[in-house]
Amino acid sequence: MNAPEALLRKEDLRLITGQGKFTSDWYYDGMCHAYMIRSPYAHGVIKSISYEDVLKAPGVVRVITAQDVAQAGMKSLPTGVTIQNPDGQNQTLAPMPVLATGKVRFVGQPIAMVIADTYEHAKQAAELVQMDVDMLDAVTDYDSALASQAPQLHEQATGNLSIHFTKGDQVATEKAFEQATFVSSMCVKSQRLIGSPMELRSVVGKYDPQTDRYIIHTPNQGMLGMLGALEHITGIPKAQIDVQTQDVGGSFGIRGGAFSENALVLLASKLIGKPVKWVATRSEVFLSDWHGRGLELNGFIALDQSGKILGLRFENKADLGAYTCYFGSFIGARNIVITMNGVYDIPALSMSSELYFTNTVPVSAYRGAGRPDIAYAIERLIDHAAYEHGFDPIELRRKNFIKPSQFPYDNQIGSVYDSGEFDTLLDRALEVSDYKNFEGRRQQALQNNRLRGIGLAYFIEASGAGTAPKDQVIGQFTAQGVLQIFGVTGASGQGHETSFSQIVHEKIGLQSDQIEYFAGQADKMMVGSGTGGSRTLYGAGSAVFNLCEQIQEKSKSLAAQLMGVSQEQLQFNQGSWHAGNQSLSILQIVQKTFVPGQPHPLDATGEASSGATYPNGCHIAEVEIDPETGVTEIIQYVAVDDVGVAISPALVQGQIHGGIVQGIGQVFYEQAIYDETGQLLTGSFMDYAMPKAGCLPLIKTEKIEVITKNNILGSKGVGESGCSGSLPTLSNAVINALRPRGITELDMPFTPAKVWQALQSN
């Protein structure tokens, strides 16, 4: 595609004027309300539970229990992608039950659902439950989980270990380290995080006994993913479930599948014969939405005399939480492997990863799903090795870059990079950041008793290939010439309506107000993937592009008939067919050939198959630390990114900014903390800090388009790039500022207290 013109977000007027429709906005006559009874204990044997007082409470209609779930034939929640070692050893799985049976294994685990006429009645009644639970000791981290006398969460998981996963050429890697002149190592932790989307997790469900069908409204990342999970849990065929979602207020990966509450609301609606709504409190989000990260990465790097990297090895630990749910195992094994060489030509790679269970909220996808973590570990290790052995950190990177002539590049451990111009992006980032004059700025800061640091990182990440073999969209025209596009992937803030409209406008000339996008229509049978892995634009977007190609081709014969010319005389330009002094736009052709009650001849189904892409970039940040307080200020942030062809430049910039801000949150503020009994100490925004507007710097962004051939558009995923770049960049900047004081290692988050304490200890 040609370079697009700027297009303002179509969604914003609706959303900022209160005209959006989120899950809690759905209402049905006679609707009842639900409230969850959750475990207050991290680990224990359930001896008895009495709901007698709950059922007698005012307004209570029913309590949905584990017995009801069993009678309905429900299964556990999906375990997602499971892991197998090269030697054939399978992972030990521990699927999460819809409601706890026999034991509870984390604070917040669902035990029962109270249904009442109002939310207040349901909540008040839930407090009357009587539980007799034999408390057991809890494990909350790697050391306590794998200790010799540790309490066991699951009988089948000896030592609380799900799998010890290995990948790569261990023999070649060992040989590389034997031949190395220099060896460096570093352990970094990517702490457990809580997703905290703006929209609280919620469900509205309605069962129709006459048709034996269900309607469900709930935040999700794609209709088919939600349908598949619901069918797995409930046993209800997908054809009987209608997922309806208009607007979603944030996702970040945690809404890729159904939670217990989704299935329970459907069951409750059928059992009581009324629609049911459940909306979480913010405290419930902290206690029950899947957590993210929870990784420890131990890196070892081998270099020759000149600084050429000979080998790289990682020994990792991944906290799964209490159960194997959705993408936790996938992240802890596969996703922290596929780009573990970063942007560097490294001949020998190997890794191992221990996936273990703890009495905590299960871990699943969270913006980047392992790729920001491995980018963070690699770039911290590169910086550490450079300073430890006297190499210039920029030249060490440049010396080991994969060269353009080496593409496609098979890293021999899970990925084939298709393209990249790493030197070009590095040079531009150095120029924009005025890197060469940094030392002068450092000295000026010292005069003001400030420790100034600069951090550089070059990341690469793999955006999603998708779970479906292809992406499809259906295009249908109305009498007014409006092109209605139906797909399976819905937005949670990314701007699908805008970017898809941009593609249509560029290809066939329709204006933004002549294009509408609808996600997840039950009567439109399509295949496709959701928004996971930053793939929607180049996945579903490629299908939209193919739809436009078909519309253009089909319109040619109609244009010839209407203008009374042969098709050979026609030329297509800027959304119109031209022949001599005649012209007809696609819109005019649609309006002239529309027949009420009949499908329009230009209606079509677009489809495309798209492979994974490898967005990459060089980010540079400057920070200043006040040694008297430990407070860190971000002075400057520069991001130069390769995202392939940018369809909607404003949206690309917004996604990069959003990813950087989410990285700022992890680097400086956010951390989910449990005490030794398994109680969550950071259970509200009073305890779990988030970045605020005043914390943010001016972010300078530039893009360099290196076109990929892995999809029709030539675009690369962008949603997680900012996060993958900001974690190592900001961390390197902080350590750079602290290094003159003798501090070379420190884990995120770099809170004022932690930084101040480190300075006092040196």
Side-chain angles (χ1 to χ4, degrees), residues 64-77 97-99 214 229-237 263-264 267 270-271:
I64 307 299
T65 67
Q67 183 178 357
D68 295 318
V69 168
Q71 289 177 349
M74 288 190 181
K75 297 180 180 179
S76 300
L77 274 60
V98 175
L99 293 174
Y214 299 80
L230 286 172
E231 183 181 56
H232 170 90
I233 299 168
T234 65
I236 303 168
L264 291 169
L267 176 60
K270 182 175 184 178
L271 291 177

Side-chain angles (χ1 to χ4, degrees), residues 671-732:
Q671 183 173 16
I673 301 173
Y674 285 89
D675 69 11
E676 65 277 4
T677 70
Q679 292 293 329
L680 182 65
L681 300 181
T682 52
S684 75
F685 287 134
M686 293 294 291
D687 315 297
Y688 186 90
M690 299 275 279
K692 303 176 181 64
C695 306
L696 307 181
L698 174 65
I699 301 173
K700 301 177 183 179
T701 60
E702 289 194 10
K703 63 182 186 300
I704 293 176
E705 297 186 350
V706 182
I707 299 173
T708 177
K709 296 181 180 179
N710 288 356
N711 59 73
I712 296 174
L713 299 175
S715 301
K716 302 176 183 179
V718 67
E720 287 133 326
S721 292
C723 209
S724 296
S726 59
L727 295 186
T729 299
L730 290 165
S731 298
N732 282 342

Side-chain angles (χ1 to χ4, degrees), residues 4 31 70 121 203 205 281 299 315 348 435 515 518 533 567 569 591 597 657 679 700 709:
M31 186 168 64
H121 280 157
V203 190
T281 64
E315 298 172 1
Y435 191 96
I515 307 159
F518 302 93
Q567 294 188 37
Q569 294 175 269
Q591 293 172 334
H657 282 193
Q679 292 293 329
K700 301 177 183 179
K709 296 181 180 179

Side-chain angles (χ1 to χ4, degrees), residues 231-245:
E231 183 181 56
H232 170 90
I233 299 168
T234 65
I236 303 168
K238 287 184 282 191
Q240 292 177 233
I241 305 174
D242 181 3
V243 178
Q244 295 185 13
T245 303

Side-chain angles (χ1 to χ4, degrees), residues 307-324:
K308 183 71 179 72
I309 302 174
L310 303 177
L312 183 67
R313 183 177 80 249
F314 274 98
E315 298 172 1
N316 306 318
K317 302 178 179 71
D319 184 353
L320 296 174
Y323 298 95
T324 43

